[in-house]
Amino acid sequence: MALDPSVSIISVDDHIVETAAVWQDRLPARYRDAGPRIVERGPRELAWSYQGQIYPLLFQGNKHTRKFRDGETGRGADLFARHYDDMIEAAYDIDARVAAMDVDGVQAQLLFPTFPRFAGTQFIQGSDRDIALASVQAWNDWMLDEVCTRHPGRFIPQVILPLWDVELATTELRRTAAKGARSVAFCENPSPFGLPSLASGQWAPLFAAAEETEIVLSMHIGTSGSLPKWSPETPDSVGIALCGVNSMLVLGELTLTNAILAFPNLKIALSEGGAGWLPYVLERLDYTWERSRYEGVQLEMKPSEIYRRNFWTCIISDEAAIRARDVIGVDKLMLETDFPHNDSNYPHSRKVITDMLAGVPDHEARQIAETNARTLYRFPA
């Protein structure tokens, strides 16, 4: 059964590689030198400078989104682009991105940042918090005032927060919600950065503001600073393959503790974590909740009930999730294309999605491909 041509594919996990203009065009003049800017690091190698520190310009694409240099093997360090010339234009240029989406058969994307890291945790670094806050706000204003305004209906408005201060983060959430934001790229585990944990209770003001403004907390895998790593010899491919473990852990923390118990209308999306694992994990969480009630375990609701109340998830290539969609909840499943990263199926995303949804009734396929995302993110056609 082919995906109905009238279905518009909405992807809720994609990425944009920023150019220096995002900050250099928006920061106050006194911050521009210390704020994010591009510097040359060597022959055909660029880097970011931020508050006196140098960070590599890195982008991991695939044969359709990377431009491999002569002699590059596509392995090890060669996986990563180190210059804009090593990427297709759609990786960093919004107009080219829309053209690539048209080729890929994708109507709209939700964009996560690159230099700021996927939840803006880059700006926790550096001693000058005024520059950091201005850098966060510059990214947000670029996304809301330029990207989403320039191409209406093509990008779900998403922002980042000054995570080092809950009060500041809550204020920025409200500021951007008033400007049309629909999602916050939020950290799946702030504690590795020396910040309060999600279960500490200290994020309650932000959770309340997100609930009130209907802003989705989109928790991308790896925003805790790492993916699964079993031993020093484990290649990073293991962490990429098993990245859903990160989503399992945040789901466990938020459903076994009191963290979000008081927020029945808080909306949380587990971004790029897949979903085929959910039936087992929900069963296991409920089983453990009944038996191992250590100090700190909430006693009011089964974890699976909190999941059904507060969580959504997304898939890129996940036959297991499609087979288990009745347990996961058809209304909880959304799609992602992860453009332009190495998991992306560009320029064949619509075909891959059509094949994955073959055999799924038309009304359910439409939910998964389009309407669940439109409803959750309040993103009308």
Side-chain angles (χ1 to χ4, degrees):
M1 183 184 301
L3 187 65
D4 191 310
S6 68
V7 174
S8 295
I9 291 174
I10 309 296
S11 170
V12 297
D13 170 44
D14 299 279
H15 301 265
I16 187 70
V17 179
E18 299 86 6
T19 65
V22 172
W23 290 280
Q24 294 300 303
D25 289 355
R26 291 169 184 79
L27 287 176
R30 65 187 183 278
Y31 293 155
R32 287 175 195 159
D33 188 58
R37 58 190 178 87
I38 288 289
V39 296
E40 291 190 7
R41 202 179 187 191
R44 289 188 64 193
E45 185 170 354
L46 302 176
W48 286 98
S49 173
Y50 174 65
Q51 292 208 37
Q53 298 296 311
I54 300 297
Y55 302 90
L57 175 72
L58 294 178
F59 161 67
Q60 186 177 0
N62 59 35
K63 64 181 181 180
H64 296 295
T65 60
R66 273 288 316 278
K67 297 178 181 178
F68 290 99
R69 306 180 190 185
D70 290 343
E72 286 187 332
T73 64
R75 300 184 62 172
D78 288 349
L79 278 171
F80 297 95
R82 299 180 295 280
H83 195 286
Y84 293 105
D85 290 345
D86 297 338
M87 318 171 198
I88 64 169
E89 194 176 4
Y92 57 87
D93 181 89
I94 289 298
D95 296 333
R97 170 63 60 92
V98 171
M101 290 162 62
D102 290 342
V103 170
D104 209 22
V106 175
Q107 173 62 32
Q109 295 181 343
L110 179 73
L111 299 178
F112 286 84
T114 298
F115 170 69
R117 302 179 186 166
F118 299 160
T121 55
Q122 178 67 64
F123 296 125
I124 298 171
Q125 310 298 318
S127 59
D128 193 320
R129 296 303 197 196
D130 291 336
I131 294 175
L133 177 59
S135 297
V136 166
Q137 291 176 330
W139 196 93
N140 292 343
D141 291 341
W142 168 71
M143 179 58 58
L144 298 175
D145 299 340
E146 181 173 332
V147 174
C148 295
T149 301
R150 186 175 183 134
H151 295 285
R154 304 308 298 269
F155 299 103
I156 300 171
Q158 175 160 258
V159 297
I160 57 177
L161 298 177
L163 294 168
W164 60 89
D165 185 304
V166 175
E167 184 178 352
L168 274 180
T170 303
T171 299
E172 182 64 6
L173 184 148
R174 291 187 181 279
R175 182 186 81 89
T176 53
K179 293 184 67 171
R182 295 292 186 265
S183 175
V184 162
F186 196 67
C187 185
E188 64 187 0
N189 180 10
S191 58
F193 300 100
L195 303 177
S197 71
L198 298 178
S200 68
Q202 296 185 53
W203 293 97
L206 187 134
F207 292 162
E211 184 179 54
E212 177 189 332
T213 57
E214 300 182 83
I215 293 289
V216 180
L217 301 184
S218 296
M219 296 185 177
H220 195 286
I221 53 101
T223 50
S224 55
S226 65
L227 292 176
K229 186 85 171 173
W230 189 247
S231 73
E233 290 74 30
T234 302
D236 288 343
S237 296
V238 174
I240 293 171
L242 301 180
C243 62
V245 171
N246 285 46
S247 293
M248 296 178 204
L249 289 169
V250 68
L251 177 65
E253 179 169 355
L254 292 178
T255 58
L256 281 173
T257 71
N258 290 312
I260 61 171
L261 205 57
F263 305 103
N265 297 310
L266 181 65
K267 298 174 174 63
I268 299 170
L270 301 176
S271 305
E272 205 175 331
W277 48 266
L278 269 163
Y280 167 73
V281 170
L282 291 173
E283 179 183 341
R284 181 63 186 167
L285 287 171
D286 283 355
Y287 189 90
T288 302
W289 180 80
E290 291 279 4
R291 290 162 175 77
S292 301
R293 295 191 170 183
Y294 287 90
E295 185 67 30
V297 173
Q298 58 85 12
L299 306 178
E300 296 185 30
M301 293 178 67
K302 288 183 176 182
S304 61
E305 294 173 343
I306 298 177
Y307 160 76
R308 293 187 181 94
R309 188 187 73 171
N310 293 103
F311 286 87
W312 283 257
T313 189
C314 68
I315 57 176
I316 183 170
S317 178
D318 197 333
E319 297 285 352
I322 297 301
R323 292 193 297 270
R325 63 189 183 278
D326 290 337
V327 179
I328 295 167
V330 174
D331 60 327
K332 297 295 187 179
L333 282 168
M334 302 178 291
L335 294 179
E336 59 155 310
T337 62
D338 197 29
F339 185 92
H341 284 179
N342 58 320
D343 265 1
S344 170
N345 289 306
Y346 170 82
H348 308 298
S349 290
R350 190 171 185 101
K351 180 184 185 307
V352 170
I353 289 167
T354 297
D355 291 346
M356 183 171 64
L357 295 177
V360 176
D362 284 348
H363 69 285
E364 293 185 3
R366 184 180 293 272
Q367 277 184 271
I368 295 168
E370 178 179 6
T371 57
N372 287 342
R374 289 203 185 278
T375 300
L376 175 64
Y377 289 101
R378 296 178 293 125
F379 190 67

